[in-house]
Amino acid sequence: MPELPEVEVVRAGLAPAVSGAVVERVEVLDERSLKRHAGPSEDFVDRLTGATLAPPSRRGKFLWVPIESASGEASARTEALVVHLGMSGQVLLRTPDAPRDRLTRIVLDVRHPEHGPLRVDFVDQRIFGSMAVDALLPTADVPAERIPSQVAHIARDPMDPHFDDRRFLAALARKDTGIKRALLDQTLVSGIGNIYADEALWASRIHYDQPTRALSRAKATTLLAEVRLVLGKALAEGGTSFDAQYVNVNGASGYFSHSLNAYGQAGEPCPRCGRAIVREQFMNRGSHFCPFCQRVRAARPVRS
Ligand SMILES: [Zn+2]
């Protein structure tokens, strides 16, 4: 499943090709890929045809391409093309005459002022992903910024320049839950998938079920720094395999599997202490951790 780093690779790859491009033609080959669009497929086609696209944005693993406003001002934009990659969605950037993938669901023919005609293909094997034209709303904390209504409930991700560390740490301290549950809670912080949670917890020596109330501010600060390190590392590695003519995301590739310390390493020695990494069932998935380095710390006694 694509996570923040993989989606960022798509955003960065699309940016030079779609920013300023005009949509000349839209073809919907499979209406199931419009399940998150509020109107019929004709409405989707109408709203996009003739539109000028603005630079794509991302929050967590949500990606959207705003439709440029008449004035060109970001705060005047009212709609965006939201791309949900789901489990297997791919955005392929192609020349107009390139053969189509068999699993292509939606095709946008665009014309860029410098690069000329290009094709943006939405390919999706399992159809958990979708495209939709959605209304843009002002964000609560940055007045000039706009976000699609479908993404408005998602918290900022830790790579976002407007992410507020102090607010996050305060919200975390108020939570009455386990730390990994909190990291995966998209209304608290977005963009941290199972892999990045396990890796950041390992690096911070925190057990995945550590109660947030018993996590010190210093430890939580360390954890946030480790989350940024692990995401930054994945972004750097994802960027190296990117080909400008072929933006591609799928569930199997993109992870930095050769540099994982805990995730998927059950039975392998912990790179820090040499004891075996353990996998436990957690939220229908797995948690990978070192039972020696990552132990649940008891809550501090409540001072009266
Ligand atoms: Zn260890």
Side-chain angles (χ1 to χ4, degrees):
M1 187 152 180
E3 298 287 350
L4 183 156
E6 291 77 31
V7 178
E8 176 56 23
V9 168
V10 177
R11 191 206 60 77
L14 273 179
V18 303
S19 305
V22 175
V23 180
E24 297 196 313
R25 189 170 160 274
V26 180
E27 191 178 353
V28 178
L29 299 161
D30 193 325
E31 299 211 354
R32 291 176 295 172
S33 294
L34 290 181
K35 61 187 160 212
R36 293 182 183 88
H37 181 76
S41 64
E42 295 76 17
D43 179 70
F44 177 80
V45 172
D46 282 353
R47 282 172 192 275
L48 281 176
T49 307
T52 301
L53 303 175
S57 291
R58 179 190 56 72
R59 178 176 285 195
K61 56 183 180 183
F62 293 88
L63 174 71
W64 65 94
V65 185
I67 293 173
E68 190 56 280
S69 59
S71 66
E73 299 217 9
S75 60
R77 294 170 188 157
T78 58
E79 290 189 323
L81 170 65
V82 183
V83 184
H84 295 268
L85 294 167
M87 300 289 283
S88 57
Q90 296 175 295
V91 181
L92 307 179
L93 199 54
R94 296 287 167 80
T95 53
D97 54 352
R100 276 184 193 174
D101 188 287
R102 190 171 55 85
L103 300 167
T104 303
R105 311 297 180 187
I106 296 170
V107 177
L108 306 184
D109 287 308
V110 306
R111 181 174 294 274
H112 190 275
E114 286 162 44
H115 310 306
L118 289 167
R119 215 176 69 211
V120 180
D121 290 357
F122 181 68
V123 176
D124 193 5
Q125 183 186 4
R126 298 174 68 184
I127 323 203
F128 289 117
S130 64
M131 280 184 159
V133 176
D134 187 24
L136 286 171
L137 308 173
T139 59
D141 48 349
V142 181
E145 193 187 46
R146 296 288 179 274
I147 191 160
S149 73
Q150 296 177 359
V151 188
H153 65 290
I154 302 293
R156 292 184 187 276
D157 64 66
M159 309 309 269
D160 186 325
H162 295 297
F163 185 88
D164 187 332
D165 286 22
R166 288 174 61 189
R167 186 193 282 183
F168 168 73
L169 292 169
L172 190 65
R174 285 194 301 269
K175 284 263 170 192
D176 189 13
T177 186
I179 186 61
K180 187 171 171 184
R181 260 175 217 282
L183 291 180
L184 298 178
D185 177 352
Q186 301 278 298
T187 64
L188 182 69
V189 56
S190 68
I192 308 173
N194 205 31
I195 296 178
Y196 305 108
D198 282 2
E199 289 297 303
L201 288 166
W202 178 86
S204 313
R205 305 180 182 228
I206 299 171
H207 189 277
Y208 70 89
D209 220 10
Q210 171 72 41
T212 47
R213 283 179 184 281
L215 193 68
S216 70
R217 177 84 171 203
K219 205 71 172 160
T221 303
T222 300
L223 176 60
L224 181 56
E226 293 293 350
V227 163
R228 287 204 173 100
L229 276 176
V230 75
L231 287 174
K233 202 164 137 191
L235 282 170
E237 294 187 23
T240 59
S241 62
F242 169 62
D243 174 350
Q245 285 304 305
Y246 189 83
V247 186
N248 193 351
V249 157
N250 63 52
S253 66
Y255 296 127
F256 52 126
S257 54
H258 56 283
S259 54
L260 292 169
N261 291 309
Y263 182 85
Q265 306 300 304
E268 297 295 321
C270 164
R272 196 163 38 215
C273 74
R275 294 171 173 86
I277 296 286
V278 169
R279 179 186 190 277
E280 285 181 2
Q281 255 336 92
F282 178 79
M283 291 173 76
N284 295 322
R285 288 179 282 187
S287 264
H288 309 76
F289 67 104
C290 171
F292 180 76
C293 296
Q294 295 167 264
R295 288 185 249 184
V296 178
R297 308 285 166 190
R300 289 156 295 168
V302 178
R303 293 193 197 115
S304 53

mmCIF file with all atom_site columns, all heavy atoms in Angstrom, residues 270 272-273 290 293, ligand 1:
data_model
loop_
_atom_site.group_PDB
_atom_site.id
_atom_site.type_symbol
_atom_site.label_atom_id
_atom_site.label_alt_id
_atom_site.label_comp_id
_atom_site.label_asym_id
_atom_site.label_entity_id
_atom_site.label_seq_id
_atom_site.pdbx_PDB_ins_code
_atom_site.Cartn_x
_atom_site.Cartn_y
_atom_site.Cartn_z
_atom_site.occupancy
_atom_site.B_iso_or_equiv
_atom_site.pdbx_formal_charge
_atom_site.auth_seq_id
_atom_site.auth_comp_id
_atom_site.auth_asym_id
_atom_site.auth_atom_id
_atom_site.pdbx_PDB_model_num
ATOM   1  N  N   . CYS A 1 270 ? 18.261 -8.217 16.373 1.00 0.00 ? 270 CYS A N   1
ATOM   2  C  CA  . CYS A 1 270 ? 18.104 -6.768 16.515 1.00 0.00 ? 270 CYS A CA  1
ATOM   3  C  C   . CYS A 1 270 ? 19.453 -6.128 16.207 1.00 0.00 ? 270 CYS A C   1
ATOM   4  O  O   . CYS A 1 270 ? 20.471 -6.517 16.783 1.00 0.00 ? 270 CYS A O   1
ATOM   5  C  CB  . CYS A 1 270 ? 17.662 -6.458 17.950 1.00 0.00 ? 270 CYS A CB  1
ATOM   6  S  SG  . CYS A 1 270 ? 17.851 -4.731 18.432 1.00 0.00 ? 270 CYS A SG  1
ATOM   7  N  N   . ARG A 1 272 ? 20.756 -3.609 17.212 1.00 0.00 ? 272 ARG A N   1
ATOM   8  C  CA  . ARG A 1 272 ? 21.327 -2.910 18.366 1.00 0.00 ? 272 ARG A CA  1
ATOM   9  C  C   . ARG A 1 272 ? 21.848 -3.882 19.405 1.00 0.00 ? 272 ARG A C   1
ATOM   10 O  O   . ARG A 1 272 ? 22.945 -3.712 19.912 1.00 0.00 ? 272 ARG A O   1
ATOM   11 C  CB  . ARG A 1 272 ? 20.253 -1.992 18.965 1.00 0.00 ? 272 ARG A CB  1
ATOM   12 C  CG  . ARG A 1 272 ? 20.761 -0.939 19.894 1.00 0.00 ? 272 ARG A CG  1
ATOM   13 C  CD  . ARG A 1 272 ? 19.706 0.140  20.100 1.00 0.00 ? 272 ARG A CD  1
ATOM   14 N  NE  . ARG A 1 272 ? 18.365 -0.410 20.161 1.00 0.00 ? 272 ARG A NE  1
ATOM   15 C  CZ  . ARG A 1 272 ? 17.281 0.185  19.683 1.00 0.00 ? 272 ARG A CZ  1
ATOM   16 N  NH1 . ARG A 1 272 ? 17.365 1.377  19.139 1.00 0.00 ? 272 ARG A NH1 1
ATOM   17 N  NH2 . ARG A 1 272 ? 16.104 -0.395 19.756 1.00 0.00 ? 272 ARG A NH2 1
ATOM   18 N  N   . CYS A 1 273 ? 21.053 -4.929 19.738 1.00 0.00 ? 273 CYS A N   1
ATOM   19 C  CA  . CYS A 1 273 ? 21.448 -5.807 20.850 1.00 0.00 ? 273 CYS A CA  1
ATOM   20 C  C   . CYS A 1 273 ? 21.663 -7.252 20.423 1.00 0.00 ? 273 CYS A C   1
ATOM   21 O  O   . CYS A 1 273 ? 22.172 -8.052 21.212 1.00 0.00 ? 273 CYS A O   1
ATOM   22 C  CB  . CYS A 1 273 ? 20.402 -5.736 21.970 1.00 0.00 ? 273 CYS A CB  1
ATOM   23 S  SG  . CYS A 1 273 ? 18.889 -6.625 21.567 1.00 0.00 ? 273 CYS A SG  1
ATOM   24 N  N   . CYS A 1 290 ? 11.889 -5.230 19.240 1.00 0.00 ? 290 CYS A N   1
ATOM   25 C  CA  . CYS A 1 290 ? 12.868 -5.981 20.011 1.00 0.00 ? 290 CYS A CA  1
ATOM   26 C  C   . CYS A 1 290 ? 12.383 -6.021 21.466 1.00 0.00 ? 290 CYS A C   1
ATOM   27 O  O   . CYS A 1 290 ? 12.273 -4.963 22.102 1.00 0.00 ? 290 CYS A O   1
ATOM   28 C  CB  . CYS A 1 290 ? 14.238 -5.304 19.941 1.00 0.00 ? 290 CYS A CB  1
ATOM   29 S  SG  . CYS A 1 290 ? 15.418 -6.062 21.083 1.00 0.00 ? 290 CYS A SG  1
ATOM   30 N  N   . CYS A 1 293 ? 15.121 -4.258 23.813 1.00 0.00 ? 293 CYS A N   1
ATOM   31 C  CA  . CYS A 1 293 ? 15.338 -2.806 23.684 1.00 0.00 ? 293 CYS A CA  1
ATOM   32 C  C   . CYS A 1 293 ? 14.056 -2.003 23.866 1.00 0.00 ? 293 CYS A C   1
ATOM   33 O  O   . CYS A 1 293 ? 14.107 -0.826 24.205 1.00 0.00 ? 293 CYS A O   1
ATOM   34 C  CB  . CYS A 1 293 ? 15.891 -2.461 22.304 1.00 0.00 ? 293 CYS A CB  1
ATOM   35 S  SG  . CYS A 1 293 ? 17.499 -3.144 21.942 1.00 0.00 ? 293 CYS A SG  1
HETATM 36 ZN ZN  . ZN  B 2 .   ? 17.384 -4.974 20.695 1.00 0.00 ? 1   ZN  B ZN  1
#
